[in-house]
Amino acid sequence: RTFGIKGGKAAALLRGQIPWTREEIVTAYSLWLNPQYRRRKSPKQGLPDLEKISQVLNTHYHEGRNVRNKHAVDTQVRRYRKKQKVA
């Protein structure tokens, strides 16, 4: 059994999943901060539009395939913010 980050990536590949790249996470975070990617209507007006961000990531990094969803974007951005100690 393999442990550590490389083991996690290998397991994800075996399950047919595509691991996040650092560039993709940084792009997701920058879109998260961008006012153009905020929800304009209720519910959750003013919060990041995770669906729109996931569509941009899928188009830019995965040739339009539905690889990332709003839950995955939310999780990765929150992990990135915690790691960077960003409020």
Side-chain angles (χ1 to χ4, degrees), residues 9 18-26 28 57 62 67-69 71-77:
K9 286 185 179 181
I18 300 173
W20 286 77
T21 63
R22 173 115 174 114
E23 180 184 356
E24 189 177 7
I25 295 169
V26 171
L57 294 175
H62 305 290
V67 174
R68 306 291 180 228
N69 62 32
H71 303 292
V73 170
D74 189 43
T75 300
Q76 285 300 323
V77 169

Side-chain angles (χ1 to χ4, degrees), residues 9-73:
K9 286 185 179 181
L13 289 170
L14 286 174
R15 288 191 302 266
Q17 297 174 332
I18 300 173
W20 286 77
T21 63
R22 173 115 174 114
E23 180 184 356
E24 189 177 7
I25 295 169
V26 171
T27 301
Y29 180 64
S30 67
L31 293 173
W32 173 285
L33 295 175
N34 187 331
Q36 291 182 321
Y37 290 90
R38 297 277 169 172
R39 295 180 63 92
R40 290 185 169 86
K41 297 180 182 178
S42 291
K44 302 179 183 179
Q45 182 177 358
L47 292 178
D49 190 343
L50 299 172
E51 191 69 42
K52 194 184 235 186
I53 294 171
S54 68
Q55 289 172 357
V56 170
L57 294 175
N58 286 330
T59 301
H60 186 73
Y61 292 99
H62 305 290
E63 300 168 349
R65 291 178 290 136
N66 289 327
V67 174
R68 306 291 180 228
N69 62 32
K70 63 183 181 179
H71 303 292
V73 170

